[in-house]
Amino acid sequence: MAETIIIRVQSPEGVKRITAAKRETVATFLKKVAKEFGFRNNGFSVYVNRNRTGEITASQNKSLHLLKIKHGDMLFLFPSSPAGSSSENMDTSISQGLLRPLGVPHLVEDEIDQYLIKQDGKIYRNRDQQLCRHGPLGKCVHCVPLEPFDEDYLNHLEPPVKHMSFHAYIRKLTGGADKGKFVALENISCKIKSGCEGHPPWPEGICTKCQPSAITLNRQKYRHVDNIMFENHTLADRFLDFWRKTGNQHFGYLYGRYTEHKDIPLGIRAEVAAIYEPPQIGTQNSLELLEDPKAEVVDEIAAKLGLRKVGWIFTDLVSEDTRKGTVRYSRNKDTYFLSAEECITAGNFQNRHPNICRLSPDGHFGSKFVTVMATGGPDNQVHFEGYQVSNQCMALVRDECLLPCRDAPELGYAKESSSEQYVPDVFYKDIDKFGNEITQLARPLPVEYLIIDITTTFPKDPVYTFSISQNPFPIENRDVLGETQDFHSLATYLSQNTSSVFLDIISDFHLLLFLVTNEVMPLQDSISLLLEAVRTRNEELAQTWKKSEQWATIEQLCSTVGVQVSGLHEYGAMGSSTHAASSAMWACQHCTFMNQPGTGHCEMCSLPRT
């Protein structure tokens, strides 16, 4: 037996491997642990068991061999509780299996995950009249409940389910005799492990202890999201209007919520309630995202509305017959479904939105962030196709190991090691012309190994988180179409929507964003009550906010642009006295700058008042 052993040490910041000698003393070993994790000698405790029993201390003055610590054993490190903190809360989080990085606040799983963890998840079957030979209270192999990960059941659904749900996968891992006591969902790393002192750093040296393992790509058996549902067709139609009017491709972020998908055992559905379109430059063949100064504010407003960013959507549409309104069917099994560049973009988005997971030492595993593409279908009509990329793809993208091929969009390319970066070998399995399974180096790589398809649907009975108007408020960042968000468009919108229910008028996602982000009268600090009214569909709260000074100012600003708006204050409506109009601040129709009363030209753009 070799004298050198490797011991795994699990802490809230992940699992690290410590190299030690069999005859090494505990004190020497603990110094290595402190150095590896960046602790002072007294800043942590190490235990043999996860439940904090069998503590290993330097005072024991014994060797690792005498303590029966062998090669490959797992030890558990817990930081010392800082003064004034509650060690009871730490114990609770550890007992629930939720590990988090040091210095990071307590990570809480998504509500849908907390809900599904508590569900039975089993597939109950009725008594088979032909095969079951027992009484009504008995069970046999023909009617006993099935586990949510039963492959035969999933394959016989209509349509067949190729990927079990993520929570069904967890049930499979934790369903053995040990109930998943030793299950840890470790994220793949393609980087050299730090702290190896036996040789010079890369590129001068590398060894088996710090070298990342080679990756063999496998089609992922589970998926984090099992269905994508747009609440109504109007959402999709308004997004597609940009392409219909310009012929240029377009991009948007999907805002919604995660709910239970009951068609698949322990499934998760991403429900889309709104689409936000960030600044971008689109052509017929390309898309370029620009810096969005409003990105954080949009996320904050969505959170107050009970929504979150659940995915992204883009178009890849080419008109085939303008008279019939058909589009070209170009993405199929004979070409490709997602290009390598799109897979890399999806991987980037998924890495930015990790899925918090209690079974991962890192506190996160995979992602629920989805990709939706609007493209031509077999019937030459617009279809919405949903995807995610696998966790293996996320790791390759995160560690900058994957590149697209310039002339073949369906192929990616695993980078080769250089003096700046070590890249592990990446393989995939294929079938040769003789029917034999062979292992190929991923240079190039068919991206179909990285893709997980997700069904995208629309409900039979439309759902409306936000009100739908025949004359909706303009969508942001569509200046190229001449559709601008300003107080003139707001006044026009209010004049065309004369509903007596104020909540119906104001419940427009793009209108709410304009009220918060406009430069003339931003309401970020005074709109919380209105957002709560929209979130809870409470007309009384909306009416309370309508009586506020902020809305009165908004009405006055709208009255200055020359649009007759129902319900505005008398002094601001069209047809009021010239003296009243001239004594109020007025907004330039060209640049929306607010000018002082009585001025005849805009102080910003110098154009005359109209």
Side-chain angles (χ1 to χ4, degrees):
M1 181 180 295
E3 291 294 321
T4 301
I5 61 175
I6 296 176
I7 300 170
R8 295 175 297 161
V9 180
Q10 186 183 75
S11 79
E13 69 173 8
V15 177
K16 295 192 176 182
R17 292 164 174 80
I18 311 295
T19 303
K22 267 201 316 184
R23 307 292 177 180
E24 190 170 279
T25 63
V26 172
T28 304
F29 174 72
L30 291 179
K31 286 181 180 179
K32 290 183 178 180
V33 173
K35 182 178 180 180
E36 184 70 22
F37 285 92
F39 281 107
R40 298 190 306 273
N41 288 338
N42 59 350
F44 64 95
S45 299
V46 176
Y47 299 88
V48 175
N49 302 310
R50 190 189 295 271
N51 61 359
R52 295 196 177 192
T53 59
E55 183 176 3
I56 300 173
T57 61
S59 60
Q60 289 174 314
N61 197 24
K62 293 182 178 179
S63 68
L64 299 177
H65 177 70
L66 292 176
L67 291 178
K68 297 183 179 179
I69 297 176
K70 305 180 296 299
H71 176 72
D73 281 356
M74 175 84 81
L75 302 179
F76 301 92
L77 181 149
F78 295 94
S80 300
S81 299
S85 68
S86 171
S87 59
E88 181 180 351
N89 290 340
M90 184 180 294
D91 290 342
T92 302
S93 67
I94 296 297
S95 66
Q96 292 175 347
L98 180 59
L99 303 175
R100 59 186 183 278
L102 295 174
V104 177
H106 182 73
L107 297 176
V108 180
E109 289 180 306
D110 294 338
E111 289 184 8
I112 183 62
D113 294 317
Q114 297 180 41
Y115 171 79
L116 292 175
I117 287 171
K118 300 174 184 177
Q119 302 308 303
D120 178 20
K122 292 191 176 181
I123 305 159
Y124 289 90
R125 300 182 293 175
N126 295 325
R127 183 174 180 272
D128 192 302
Q129 297 296 330
Q130 295 182 342
L131 300 177
C132 294
R133 304 299 182 185
H134 50 76
L137 299 179
K139 293 290 181 183
C140 68
V141 293
H142 303 293
C143 62
V144 68
L146 301 175
E147 294 292 346
F149 48 83
D150 188 277
E151 293 186 9
D152 188 61
Y153 172 82
L154 296 176
N155 289 333
H156 283 83
L157 288 176
E158 187 59 42
V161 176
K162 296 185 292 184
H163 308 276
M164 70 180 78
S165 67
F166 179 62
H167 279 270
Y169 176 69
I170 290 179
R171 294 292 172 90
K172 185 174 183 178
L173 294 180
T174 58
D178 60 1
K179 300 300 181 184
K181 180 180 178 181
F182 302 105
V183 171
L185 299 175
E186 294 194 24
N187 292 291
I188 301 170
S189 176
C190 305
K191 293 184 176 180
I192 296 175
K193 299 178 180 67
S194 60
C196 192
E197 300 177 351
H199 54 78
W202 177 265
E204 280 74 25
I206 194 171
C207 67
T208 55
K209 293 182 291 184
C210 62
Q211 181 181 7
S213 301
I215 298 174
T216 299
L217 298 176
N218 298 304
R219 289 182 173 86
Q220 195 164 288
K221 295 182 178 180
Y222 60 89
R223 56 188 175 187
H224 291 272
V225 173
D226 304 281
N227 179 258
I228 304 167
M229 187 186 78
F230 289 85
E231 286 189 343
N232 52 76
H233 284 279
T234 306
L235 268 175
D237 287 338
R238 291 197 69 192
F239 177 74
L240 292 176
D241 274 344
F242 186 92
W243 173 80
R244 293 189 181 112
K245 294 176 180 178
T246 66
N248 294 334
Q249 309 307 331
H250 207 47
F251 173 97
Y253 287 114
L254 306 176
Y255 282 86
R257 57 188 71 85
Y258 295 112
T259 60
E260 182 182 12
H261 181 47
K262 297 184 179 180
D263 293 344
I264 295 175
L266 300 178
I268 293 178
R269 164 182 284 159
E271 290 186 4
V272 180
I275 302 176
Y276 169 71
E277 301 175 11
Q280 57 193 280
I281 299 175
T283 68
Q284 293 183 356
N285 302 310
S286 66
L287 271 172
E288 179 186 356
L289 289 185
L290 305 177
E291 184 179 356
D292 186 5
K294 300 178 181 179
E296 292 185 4
V297 178
V298 175
D299 286 344
E300 291 176 8
I301 298 306
K304 291 181 179 180
L305 290 168
L307 306 176
R308 60 186 294 184
K309 195 183 290 182
V310 299
W312 65 298
I313 182 173
F314 68 98
T315 61
D316 179 33
L317 294 166
V318 178
S319 179
E320 186 176 62
D321 190 329
T322 55
R323 293 173 300 176
K324 296 180 180 179
T326 56
V327 292
R328 186 178 302 168
Y329 177 44
S330 59
R331 302 223 184 189
N332 49 62
K333 61 182 180 61
D334 297 323
T335 55
Y336 59 94
F337 296 102
L338 280 183
S339 69
E341 194 169 6
E342 290 159 357
C343 287
I344 292 172
T345 304
N348 269 317
F349 281 131
Q350 290 180 205
N351 282 316
R352 290 184 206 170
H353 300 85
N355 175 55
I356 298 173
C357 180
R358 63 189 177 89
L359 289 178
S360 172
D362 301 320
H364 61 85
F365 187 77
S367 173
K368 294 191 187 77
F369 203 81
V370 299
T371 297
V372 178
M373 175 179 57
T375 187
D379 55 357
N380 297 111
Q381 299 298 316
V382 177
H383 283 229
F384 291 88
E385 307 294 342
Y387 299 99
Q388 279 193 309
V389 293
S390 66
N391 292 8
Q392 289 180 325
C393 179
M394 288 175 61
L396 292 172
V397 171
R398 182 194 64 236
D399 296 333
E400 300 179 352
C401 299
L402 188 62
L403 297 172
C405 289
R406 178 177 299 177
D407 301 325
E410 73 278 8
L411 298 177
Y413 192 88
K415 288 171 64 174
E416 299 182 42
S417 297
S418 64
S419 58
E420 290 80 21
Q421 179 187 8
Y422 175 84
V423 180
D425 289 330
V426 182
F427 302 96
Y428 68 94
K429 293 186 177 181
D430 200 0
I431 304 297
D432 64 12
K433 62 181 180 180
F434 302 107
N436 301 315
E437 185 178 73
I438 56 175
T439 300
Q440 299 270 45
L441 188 63
R443 299 188 185 113
L445 159 69
V447 296
E448 63 188 66
Y449 284 84
L450 311 175
I451 298 174
I452 301 167
D453 60 300
I454 304 174
T455 306
T456 304
T457 58
F458 292 85
K460 292 182 179 178
D461 300 317
V463 181
Y464 297 95
T465 296
F466 301 101
S467 301
I468 299 297
S469 169
Q470 291 183 348
N471 301 289
F473 189 72
I475 295 176
E476 60 282 337
N477 300 310
R478 286 194 175 187
D479 296 349
V480 68
L481 293 178
E483 301 176 8
T484 58
Q485 289 187 342
D486 52 29
F487 281 94
H488 187 275
S489 58
L490 176 58
T492 302
Y493 170 79
L494 294 175
S495 67
Q496 294 172 342
N497 292 274
T498 58
S499 171
S500 59
V501 182
F502 178 68
L503 186 62
D504 290 342
I505 297 175
I506 208 69
S507 293
D508 184 292
F509 183 71
H510 308 285
L511 169 58
L512 293 171
L513 292 182
F514 170 72
L515 292 178
V516 173
T517 60
N518 75 88
E519 297 178 357
V520 178
M521 181 67 183
L523 301 180
Q524 187 170 358
D525 299 327
S526 55
I527 203 172
S528 295
L529 184 64
L530 178 61
L531 298 178
E532 179 65 15
V534 174
R535 186 182 70 83
T536 58
R537 305 298 299 169
N538 190 321
E539 172 67 12
E540 291 184 8
L541 281 181
Q543 288 293 339
T544 300
W545 187 86
K546 184 182 179 183
K547 297 173 183 177
S548 66
E549 180 182 348
Q550 288 78 15
W551 181 247
T553 307
I554 293 291
E555 289 182 325
Q556 186 175 356
L557 290 173
C558 290
S559 70
T560 64
V561 299
V563 178
Q564 179 67 45
V565 181
S566 174
L568 291 186
H569 295 304
E570 183 178 352
Y571 60 81
M574 194 171 182
S576 58
S577 67
T578 305
H579 172 74
S582 63
S583 63
M585 293 184 67
W586 58 279
C588 177
Q589 293 189 33
H590 305 283
C591 66
T592 72
F593 182 78
M594 296 303 300
N595 294 273
Q596 296 296 323
T599 54
H601 289 75
C602 177
E603 299 174 14
M604 177 63 69
C605 65
S606 300
L607 293 174
R609 179 177 181 179
T610 56

